[in-house]
Amino acid sequence: MSSLSARILDVFNEPGCAKNADKSEADRKKGCTKQPKPGSAAGGCAFDGAKIALQPFTDVAHLVHGPIACEGNSWDNRGAASSGASIWRTGFTTDMNETDIVFGGEKRLYKAIREILAKYDPAAIFVYQTCIPAMIGDDINAVCKAASRKFGKPVIPVNSPGFVGSKNLGNKLAGQALLDHVIGTEEPDYTTPCDINLIGEYNLSGELWQVKPLLDELGIRILSCISGDGKYREVASSHRARAAMLVCSKSMINVARKMQERYAIPFFEGSFYGIQDSSDALRNIARVLVARGAPEDLIGRTEVVIAREEARAWAKIGSYRPRLAGKRALLITGGVKSWSVLAALQEAGLELVGTSVKKSTKEDKERIKQRMGQDAHMIDDMAPRDIYKMLKGAKADIMLSGGKSQFVALKAAMPWLDINQERSHAYMGYLGIVNLVAEIDKALFNPMWEQLRRPAPWDGIAKHGHPNPMVLAQTDGQAAEPPALLEVSRRAKRVCLCNTVDRGTIEDAIRLHGLTSVDSVRLHTNAFGGCCRSRIQDILRAMSGSQPPAMQQAAE
């Protein structure tokens, strides 16, 4: 493990990391390593981080050396998309057993590599080290080197056993594997003055394809994307790019910095989330490329494309902004999305009540302050019970987060939208902001939420199963309806017949949002029909209490 320990220290001794740069020389040599604690890998171990960072390379076979559970738990857990080969979605594992633990698993690994090459003939094989083979001393570097020499195909060792640290460490170890064994090993068929690398971009839900047409229009070629929809040969020849854009600095800063040192490829950090950030990213790409020898008219052509796309995007989200104005959002994600998605939400007219910075860098936090002010509510680590209280107390109208937090929002009966890697919608670029705003609107104004917040019919029933209080009144010799059932029947009466909106939905919206006019009620419900105006007016008068009907009509 000495070589792995040295590798980890080297990965964390990162001059490009602001946090590391602020340390003393002695502390910097120690790196950022901490003794792992039980449960510290709950958000993903180092193996998981390496796998999700490299698996979007689509023409590569990803072989997990370890028990089958490691592959089963990590398979297809990132919603990346491919425009070509699909072998990356096939799960390969050596499925180590007790015998392999006693006698070693190197022979099993070699046989697995041989079988994959014979049956699938991938461009390369990435071999991932997991905890058990690392602890028993399997030398995957030697096996991969021997297999590559024997079969004439690249076999890349990725030394990232889960016990060495968190998912973020695994991201960096994956990047280091590319630097050590892949980048610079092949040459592209040709180069252009406008070749760029995208680093830390994973093409979630195919969102890279919403930006690529704009780059193609400008004559900018993505020489390599690391790793969304990436190909092995592209990353192997990525050292010939003229510039690079770093999308997620938390995971791949070591790749961008070392490529700058080794191959003189300048890089900048940018984002394609939101209108302004997308425009800034395109401008920076053009600026850096022109400085490296691209045609000078690239900057002017970029401004023309930006003006056109901004006008289209603002026109499309314009109809949503009045509906979203004043709505409050809680952003629980971290990393680059803590500020990039924040900008997109502000452009949609939403108010941010807080954003998570658990995985954010110092630069990320500075960008948040620029967008939200110096008093920005940045959340380091909010417990689920605190998120629940915040949502239940109506301090936020919607939460955007990863899938593991969705049940907190659902328990609080508040709208939730997936913004992390499991999402099924693309939110990047000018088209992406329109998609994001549309999905937020659907979530906020889904009539399900009003129905979900109503008291259940059995809330008025005592534990022993009888009406509570007991119904004693008699009508025509028969027992009267229980009060709870009468209330359900009253609230179920239709107000808007054409859109089937009932009285309970209208009343709940009025109470929840303090509505005072017919138009505001229609904005918060699906009661848009011409049949319901007078009925909504009657409900508003009935609920206004002390306000005379004449004043209510004047207010409307």
Side-chain angles (χ1 to χ4, degrees):
M1 289 301 295
S2 58
S3 61
L4 179 58
S5 300
R7 179 183 293 268
I8 292 172
L9 288 174
D10 179 62
V11 165
F12 272 116
N13 185 16
E14 178 51 63
C17 172
K19 182 177 181 180
N20 198 51
D22 290 339
K23 295 180 179 180
S24 66
E25 185 66 26
D27 291 337
R28 193 177 301 122
K29 289 181 179 179
K30 296 178 182 177
C32 299
T33 53
K34 295 181 180 179
Q35 186 68 29
K37 298 179 181 179
S40 62
C45 64
F47 157 69
D48 184 47
K51 184 81 180 301
I52 64 175
L54 298 181
Q55 188 156 3
F57 286 120
T58 61
D59 60 348
V60 171
H62 300 270
L63 172 60
V64 176
H65 183 42
I68 196 170
C70 291
E71 169 61 357
N73 292 334
S74 65
W75 178 80
D76 205 30
N77 64 355
R78 171 160 290 204
S82 168
S83 61
S86 60
I87 188 174
W88 64 286
R89 298 199 71 237
T90 302
F92 298 103
T93 176
T94 53
D95 187 19
M96 291 181 66
N97 55 34
E98 292 87 345
T99 303
D100 299 315
I101 295 173
V102 174
F103 296 103
E106 293 178 359
K107 290 184 178 180
R108 178 181 283 264
L109 174 59
Y110 186 85
K111 290 178 180 179
I113 293 171
R114 182 178 61 192
E115 183 176 349
I116 291 172
L117 291 173
K119 290 186 176 180
Y120 297 92
D121 191 29
I125 298 178
F126 286 174
V127 177
Y128 299 85
Q129 180 82 295
T130 59
C131 293
I132 290 177
M135 287 190 289
I136 66 175
D138 278 1
D139 189 349
I140 70 167
N141 289 51
V143 176
C144 291
K145 184 176 181 180
S148 182
R149 187 186 307 114
K150 173 70 173 179
F151 304 115
K153 280 288 184 74
V155 183
I156 312 302
V158 183
N159 282 288
S160 57
F163 62 78
V164 300
S166 66
K167 180 169 67 175
N168 181 244
L169 172 58
N171 297 153
K172 291 182 171 65
L173 291 173
Q176 191 62 43
L178 297 180
L179 289 164
D180 292 344
H181 303 287
V182 183
I183 296 173
T185 59
E186 296 190 24
E187 294 293 332
D189 293 333
Y190 67 95
T191 60
T192 76
C194 296
D195 288 346
I196 66 167
N197 292 330
L198 294 181
I199 301 174
E201 164 52 42
Y202 302 107
N203 196 33
L204 302 179
S205 301
E207 58 188 9
L208 173 63
W209 302 331
Q210 296 184 159
V211 176
K212 189 175 183 299
L214 301 179
L215 299 176
D216 292 341
E217 180 181 348
L218 294 169
I220 299 172
R221 182 175 69 147
I222 300 177
L223 182 62
S224 174
C225 182
I226 304 174
S227 57
D229 196 24
K231 312 297 187 294
Y232 179 82
R233 190 178 180 201
E234 292 173 353
V235 68
S237 60
S238 61
H239 62 297
R240 297 305 183 193
R242 307 293 293 174
M245 174 175 164
L246 182 61
V247 179
C248 184
S249 64
K250 189 72 175 178
S251 65
M252 289 284 187
I253 180 67
N254 57 326
V255 176
R257 182 187 63 81
K258 291 185 178 180
M259 289 187 73
Q260 184 179 42
E261 290 179 354
R262 295 178 185 179
Y263 310 112
I265 302 175
F267 73 91
F268 69 94
E269 186 176 0
S271 166
F272 285 113
Y273 290 106
I275 296 174
Q276 187 59 50
D277 283 348
S278 296
S279 299
D280 290 343
L282 291 176
R283 288 191 180 99
N284 285 328
I285 291 173
R287 174 183 55 81
V288 175
L289 286 175
V290 169
R292 296 295 314 280
E296 293 186 1
D297 67 339
L298 178 61
I299 294 178
R301 291 188 287 111
T302 301
E303 291 298 332
V304 171
V305 171
I306 288 173
R308 183 193 70 206
E309 295 300 321
E310 283 188 351
R312 289 177 179 175
W314 283 116
K316 289 181 180 179
I317 69 174
S319 59
Y320 294 100
R321 286 177 59 85
R323 290 164 57 83
L324 300 180
K327 296 294 183 182
R328 295 158 297 178
L330 176 63
L331 184 59
I332 302 295
T333 172
V336 66
K337 290 191 288 295
S338 63
W339 59 269
S340 59
V341 174
L342 184 155
L345 297 177
Q346 289 178 326
E347 289 171 346
L350 290 161
E351 175 187 343
L352 269 294
V353 298
T355 180
S356 171
V357 293
K358 184 176 181 181
K359 301 177 183 178
S360 302
T361 64
K362 182 179 179 180
E363 289 80 2
D364 293 335
K365 295 177 182 179
E366 289 301 320
R367 292 186 179 97
I368 292 171
K369 291 180 180 179
Q370 292 174 7
R371 288 163 169 78
M372 296 181 64
Q374 293 300 314
D375 297 329
H377 185 195
M378 293 186 286
I379 303 164
D380 284 319
D381 191 10
M382 181 178 282
R385 65 171 64 89
D386 296 324
I387 298 176
Y388 176 80
K389 290 179 181 178
M390 195 172 196
L391 295 173
K392 196 68 175 177
K395 295 180 181 178
D397 298 300
I398 186 172
M399 182 173 77
L400 294 87
S401 71
K404 67 180 182 180
S405 303
Q406 65 178 304
F407 302 106
V408 179
L410 295 176
K411 185 177 180 180
M414 295 298 290
W416 168 82
L417 189 65
D418 192 350
I419 199 68
N420 271 13
Q421 63 194 38
E422 303 92 353
R423 65 180 181 266
S424 55
H425 295 88
Y427 298 141
M428 200 165 75
Y430 300 103
L431 292 176
I433 179 64
V434 177
N435 292 340
L436 177 61
V437 172
E439 292 303 315
I440 291 174
D441 183 81
K442 289 178 185 178
L444 278 171
F445 297 104
N446 192 322
M448 175 193 73
W449 300 113
E450 300 292 350
Q451 298 175 24
L452 188 63
R453 294 168 189 147
R454 296 180 195 169
W458 51 84
D459 281 351
I461 306 299
K463 291 182 179 180
H464 48 71
H466 297 289
N468 184 17
M470 294 294 292
V471 180
L472 302 177
Q474 299 287 325
T475 304
D476 295 333
Q478 296 182 354
E481 287 284 326
L485 297 182
L486 287 173
E487 175 65 5
V488 171
S489 177
R490 184 190 70 80
R491 289 170 55 85
K493 291 182 179 178
R494 298 286 169 77
V495 174
C496 180
L497 302 179
C498 56
N499 286 333
T500 64
V501 180
D502 56 35
R503 185 184 185 94
T505 299
I506 302 294
E507 291 178 347
D508 290 344
I510 293 172
R511 290 193 189 96
L512 183 62
H513 303 288
L515 308 179
T516 59
S517 68
V518 174
D519 290 338
S520 63
V521 171
R522 288 179 164 181
L523 185 64
H524 288 80
T525 67
N526 199 32
F528 294 111
C531 61
C532 59
R533 186 174 187 85
S534 62
R535 296 186 182 92
I536 295 176
Q537 287 176 337
D538 292 340
I539 296 174
L540 285 166
R541 294 190 188 103
M543 296 183 67
S544 64
S546 60
Q547 189 176 25
M551 292 180 62
Q552 179 67 34
Q553 291 176 354
E556 294 173 353

